[in-house]
Amino acid sequence: MAHVITRPCCNDASCVEVCPVNCIHPTPDEPEFLTAEMLYIDPEACIDCGACIDECPVSAIFPDDQLEAKDEPYLQINADYFKDHDPDGGLVKPTRPPVMPEGKELHVAVVGAGPAAFYAAGELVKRGQVKVDMFDRLPTPYGLVRAGVSPDHAKTKGVENTFAATEKKANFTYHLNVDVGTHITHDELNARYGAILYAVGAPHDRRLNIPGEDLTGSFAATEFVAWYNGHPAYADRTFDLSGERAVVIGNGNVALDVARILLTDDAVLAATDIADYALDALKASSITEVVVLGRRGIEHAAFTNAEFLSLGDLDGIDIVIEEADLALSEGTEAALADDTLDSTIATKIRLAREFAARPRTEGNKRIVFRFLSSPLEILGDEHVTGLHCMQNSYAPSGAATPTSETFDLDASIVVRSVGYRGQPIPGLPFDRDRNVVPSDDARVTDGPDGPVLPGLYVAGWIRRGPTGGIGRNRFCGEEAAASILADFAAGSLPEPERSVDDVPELVASRGAERVDLDGWRRIDAAERAAGKTEGRRRVKLVTVDELVATARATEEAVG
Ligand code: NAP
């Protein structure tokens, strides 16, 4: 017997730390960790102790004899990883914490309340000498775990328990519903805090820059995701779902989230924490087919195997792939033939071929994958009517290149899911080529190779760009915390000019209706109570006014 890691794996590597035989890989000190889609258990080395099961924040690990049928493919997926990766990669190196200066306190401002911010804060508040004030412009914390993770991925939201353990520490303070830049400036933070960590993510969408992108019915996945997750800034958006076909451009995990949410059965969605208005709109939707368009072939598809595989479990939805559309580059074809292809890519190709061979069911909705297809123009006069595309093929070099063949797809909506984009932070340098704040070991630098600006740090997508999920952001946040603590220990942080005590009054004087921990607890309790009566995890409050009113309700509302 052995244990097996399955789909909701969040890569945060809590399991790695408790495994007594080092059978879970890649570990955070192995180079593959930076790009790993998930973690894998070596079936030859696992001793079935079960320590990883208790530690996993998203309940992704099972003994192999207790796997549900839908998770059985993970037996092979876990084992395959060890075909081309060395299971003797080192144990996680214990990092020696720096010695904190005696009798000194450090007050850190953390801007943003998503995973990178929380994992950094979690490391910082372990030191009694360090106090963390966390700022977020929304009245609710947890960033993309609340506003990005798909409502039908409830287990992934289990990481909120880790964040809740941090927020209740005595040396942690929330300043929610406070916009840094509006209610308090960067300079005002700088004058009060020994260190400022910006973990503000990458809030904007990337554009395609093709004709028709601004037609009604053409929109970014970032907006649609924020809308169905009840983000207050998107709650009043409407999307016309009256047509039958949607096209999603890009084939990352966000594209799969959008395709799934557009087609998932209403009854399934009704049991999630999806925003009520989105549920109503999706119930009335006529969309029956979503085409997911990748400009490269299956071997380069950006989605992870776990998310791809799980599409096959959706009731009433066929995954449609034409075998002829699965062309490989010459190099990949050869490596696959002699069994030297990277196991993650080999699995991707195998899963796609299995989907292509599946029988289809008359009357089912469809997610159709088209590969090697680039968008050229979104068609329509005022509203989207379709998409004009270029057929690509693999050149001998392995690059996807245009052919002379084009084709059109009829569609009533076109969703571009081509990645997120960071935005400049007033007062900080910005790398406009990469849309990140330049940094070195999380320390903000004055330009890409410039000198370090003491006391300023970044973590998460604003540091690295918009790739990697929760696990990657855990290590990014922890690296930032380690840099802050090392600089504090080395005495290289600037001395603040004034105390942080006036922050609540200062932000109130600029119109912020600040929400603190008690306020967030009232919101959380109210949402969970509303969810309980409907058999849902929570029913989200979706406007700032109702969130603030709930935060200010009487103490009795707190569960
Ligand atoms: P992503 O993984 O970077 O995918 C972006 C997609 O857009 C790629 O397919 C890319 O194709 C395509 N693209 C970019 N520019 C394009 C263009 N001009 N024309 C056509 N296609 C274009 O981004 P994402 O889906 O937004 O996800 C962001 C991160 O969040 C990823 O690390 C993802 O894994 C993570 N995430 C994880 C989960 C989960 O674990 N369940 C859920 C959501 C998001 P090329 O590859 O050819 O550039």
Side-chain angles (χ1 to χ4, degrees), residues 8 39 70 119 125 223 262 271 274 279 284 295 329 336 482 484 488 535:
L39 305 184
K70 72 176 176 54
Y119 284 117
V125 296
E223 300 166 50
L262 278 170
I274 192 168
L279 183 59
R295 60 182 171 178
S329 63
L336 191 62
I484 294 171
F488 179 44

Side-chain angles (χ1 to χ4, degrees), residues 405-479:
E405 196 187 322
T406 60
F407 63 94
D408 289 353
L409 289 167
D410 290 339
S412 60
I413 54 173
V414 171
V415 188
R416 61 179 180 280
S417 182
V418 294
Y420 288 69
R421 180 170 54 87
Q423 67 173 5
I425 299 170
L428 263 64
F430 197 66
D431 178 345
R432 289 191 182 274
D433 293 333
R434 297 181 54 223
N435 289 317
V436 296
V437 172
S439 64
D440 182 10
D441 276 344
R443 297 174 178 92
V444 175
T445 55
D446 195 5
D449 295 310
V452 165
L453 299 174
L456 302 181
Y457 303 83
V458 277
W461 283 2
I462 194 62
R463 172 182 169 198
R464 308 186 321 272
T467 57
I470 292 167
R472 190 72 191 87
N473 284 311
R474 171 180 174 179
F475 289 92
C476 193
E478 291 181 354
E479 277 169 5

Side-chain angles (χ1 to χ4, degrees), residues 7 9 148 153 156 206-208 249-255 257 293-296 300-304 307 373-375 417-420 461 466-469:
R7 190 200 60 77
C9 175
H153 283 172
T156 306
R206 291 182 56 219
R207 287 181 68 85
L208 291 161
I249 299 171
N251 60 14
N253 280 343
V254 171
D257 285 348
L293 206 71
R295 60 182 171 178
R296 298 191 284 168
H300 291 118
F303 49 68
T304 55
E307 294 305 324
S373 305
S374 290
S417 182
V418 294
Y420 288 69
W461 283 2
T467 57

Side-chain angles (χ1 to χ4, degrees), residues 227-533:
W227 170 76
Y228 65 61
N229 275 316
H231 188 301
Y234 297 84
D236 59 359
R237 286 292 313 265
T238 53
F239 296 95
D240 179 2
L241 307 177
S242 61
E244 289 182 4
R245 184 192 279 150
V247 176
V248 182
I249 299 171
N251 60 14
N253 280 343
V254 171
L256 300 200
D257 285 348
V258 168
R260 246 185 14 259
I261 292 297
L262 278 170
L263 296 182
T264 295
D265 190 74
D266 304 337
V268 174
L269 291 181
T272 72
D273 65 1
I274 192 168
D276 281 347
Y277 57 74
L279 183 59
D280 291 342
L282 288 160
K283 275 183 184 164
S285 162
S286 302
I287 307 272
T288 54
E289 178 172 304
V290 180
V291 179
V292 178
L293 206 71
R295 60 182 171 178
R296 298 191 284 168
I298 178 65
E299 67 196 76
H300 291 118
F303 49 68
T304 55
N305 287 332
E307 294 305 324
F308 189 39
L309 173 66
S310 71
L311 294 179
D313 303 325
L314 299 173
D315 282 339
I317 300 176
D318 282 344
I319 307 307
V320 178
I321 301 176
E322 298 304 333
E323 182 71 44
D325 206 21
L326 291 179
L328 303 178
S329 63
E330 280 176 28
T332 296
E333 191 84 66
L336 191 62
D338 62 18
D339 210 14
T340 54
L341 186 61
D342 174 275
S343 57
T344 304
I345 299 174
T347 300
K348 200 156 280 182
I349 295 167
R350 176 173 62 77
L351 295 177
R353 287 178 175 172
E354 285 170 12
F355 276 133
R358 273 196 188 189
R360 290 159 201 166
T361 308
E362 187 67 35
N364 267 5
K365 295 178 183 175
R366 295 149 54 94
I367 298 178
V368 180
F369 285 89
R370 297 285 301 256
F371 295 99
L372 289 162
S373 305
S374 290
L376 292 176
E377 179 179 358
I378 299 174
L379 305 172
D381 291 330
E382 284 178 14
H383 198 288
V384 169
T385 57
L387 185 69
H388 183 52
C389 305
M390 167 65 73
Q391 187 66 52
N392 301 324
S393 71
Y394 277 119
S397 66
T401 48
T403 64
S404 54
E405 196 187 322
T406 60
F407 63 94
D408 289 353
L409 289 167
D410 290 339
S412 60
I413 54 173
V414 171
V415 188
R416 61 179 180 280
S417 182
V418 294
Y420 288 69
R421 180 170 54 87
Q423 67 173 5
I425 299 170
L428 263 64
F430 197 66
D431 178 345
R432 289 191 182 274
D433 293 333
R434 297 181 54 223
N435 289 317
V436 296
V437 172
S439 64
D440 182 10
D441 276 344
R443 297 174 178 92
V444 175
T445 55
D446 195 5
D449 295 310
V452 165
L453 299 174
L456 302 181
Y457 303 83
V458 277
W461 283 2
I462 194 62
R463 172 182 169 198
R464 308 186 321 272
T467 57
I470 292 167
R472 190 72 191 87
N473 284 311
R474 171 180 174 179
F475 289 92
C476 193
E478 291 181 354
E479 277 169 5
S483 292
I484 294 171
L485 293 173
D487 293 351
F488 179 44
S492 59
L493 293 178
E495 205 55 51
E497 294 158 18
R498 48 193 299 170
S499 134
V500 304
D501 292 348
D502 69 342
V503 168
E505 297 93 81
L506 177 68
V507 300
S509 74
R510 306 250 171 82
E513 297 187 274
R514 176 176 164 263
V515 171
D516 60 10
L517 177 60
D518 284 345
W520 158 235
R521 284 186 169 156
R522 288 185 199 106
I523 292 170
D524 189 39
E527 289 187 339
R528 286 183 191 274
K532 210 167 190 174
T533 58

